[in-house]
Amino acid sequence: MSDSSSDDDAPEMALMVMSKDGEKIKIKEFDNKKKIKKKYKRLKERDNAVVMLKNGKIKKQCGPKRKVVFLIAVAFGRGWCDFGPLDEDNSQYQIFTDDDMNFDGDDDSDDDDDDDDDNFHLLRLTRDGTGIKDDEEPKRKKAEKKQKKAEKKGIISILTKRGNRRDYTRPSGEEQVCQLAFCIGCAYGRGLLEELGPFEDGGEYEILEEGFDLVESED
């Protein structure tokens, strides 16, 4: 189950590149296969984190796992691609495995299509094809209780309000760090999160600099 929701603005053929200093993700579109392959090869030789997108699929990727997972998560959150190598057996970038039976967490809350900025949002990692499940809760204590319950069960989740992170599951091991990177990256890509918490400058799992931004490159 690795289909993302479609996006009319999705690039047909593009590279997503995280700058080495972590200040930005550049998105460069191409209309020529030879040019995109040549650019990808050059960036790979420079040890950049890069993801190649083509018609809603991830064709190639290279770079440190946390950074690549985050790049894919942002693209997935924007509806540009599927899970790609994150859901492929024996991939060095795999974060979804058949043994992960508790990603979806409890389904004890009612999903509400009416978005209220004053509500808390509990974002939980899921394999159902959406990447993250968004549960809205108007009451702080109830939202915090759900977050703690998810964390106790080892479910990767983030509690947010108005785009700001309030709490998150503390990862246990590198695989869960990468799962958290996906959850936060996907939420960022979908516009549900503005700050990137432990992955920002000075954070415990720092891969991004202060003032991080997503930009379209015309170079």
Side-chain angles (χ1 to χ4, degrees):
M1 299 181 184
S2 58
D3 293 332
S4 66
S5 58
S6 62
D7 188 327
D8 292 338
D9 296 327
E12 291 185 9
M13 188 163 52
L15 293 179
M16 292 184 69
V17 186
M18 183 179 291
S19 60
K20 285 190 175 182
D21 56 14
E23 288 186 349
K24 65 186 71 172
I25 291 176
K26 289 185 178 181
I27 305 164
K28 172 65 176 175
E29 294 192 51
F30 292 80
D31 56 10
N32 183 289
K33 291 182 181 180
K34 289 185 178 180
K35 287 183 179 180
I36 193 172
K37 289 180 179 179
K38 184 177 180 180
K39 184 67 172 179
Y40 174 85
K41 182 179 179 181
R42 189 181 308 154
L43 290 166
K44 183 178 181 180
E45 291 172 349
R46 295 175 182 173
D47 297 323
N48 285 93
V50 188
V51 171
M52 183 188 293
L53 306 172
K54 185 179 179 182
N55 298 324
K57 301 290 183 181
I58 298 170
K59 306 304 289 185
K60 294 182 179 182
Q61 66 285 318
C62 62
K65 185 173 181 177
R66 293 182 188 180
K67 292 184 177 182
V68 170
V69 168
F70 187 82
L71 282 173
I72 293 174
V74 172
F76 184 92
R78 294 179 70 134
W80 291 353
C81 67
D82 56 10
F83 287 150
L86 306 188
D87 199 26
E88 293 177 359
D89 291 339
N90 301 318
S91 167
Q92 70 180 93
Y93 299 104
Q94 183 181 18
I95 64 169
F96 297 103
T97 67
D98 292 337
D99 294 332
D100 297 324
M101 302 300 295
N102 65 344
F103 272 13
D104 292 331
D106 295 328
D107 200 12
D108 58 358
S109 61
D110 295 327
D111 288 333
D112 191 345
D113 292 333
D114 295 328
D115 185 26
D116 187 341
D117 287 341
D118 287 329
N119 284 347
F120 289 85
H121 291 258
L122 181 62
L123 310 173
R124 296 180 290 184
L125 193 64
T126 173
R127 294 190 71 187
D128 67 0
T130 62
I132 53 175
K133 179 179 177 64
D134 180 9
D135 290 335
E136 290 190 53
E137 175 56 55
K139 297 182 180 180
R140 178 179 60 82
K141 288 186 178 180
K142 191 172 182 180
E144 291 176 346
K145 183 178 180 181
K146 287 182 178 181
Q147 163 61 24
K148 294 301 181 185
K149 186 176 181 180
E151 182 167 19
K152 187 176 181 180
K153 290 188 174 184
I155 300 169
I156 293 298
S157 59
I158 319 165
L159 183 63
T160 73
K161 185 174 183 179
R162 295 179 178 174
N164 296 313
R165 176 185 50 83
R166 293 299 186 93
D167 200 1
Y168 64 94
T169 300
R170 271 60 182 176
S172 175
E174 180 60 23
E175 182 173 289
Q176 283 206 336
V177 171
C178 290
Q179 291 169 1
L180 181 62
F182 178 86
C183 198
I184 289 179
C186 186
Y188 178 84
R190 288 176 58 180
L192 297 172
L193 195 62
E194 296 175 2
E195 58 173 293
L196 304 173
F199 296 98
E200 289 182 317
D201 184 33
E204 188 173 357
Y205 313 113
E206 176 184 337
I207 60 174
L208 305 164
E209 283 294 317
E210 185 177 356
F212 165 82
D213 199 6
L214 183 67
V215 299
E216 292 192 21
S217 174
E218 300 295 338
D219 298 335

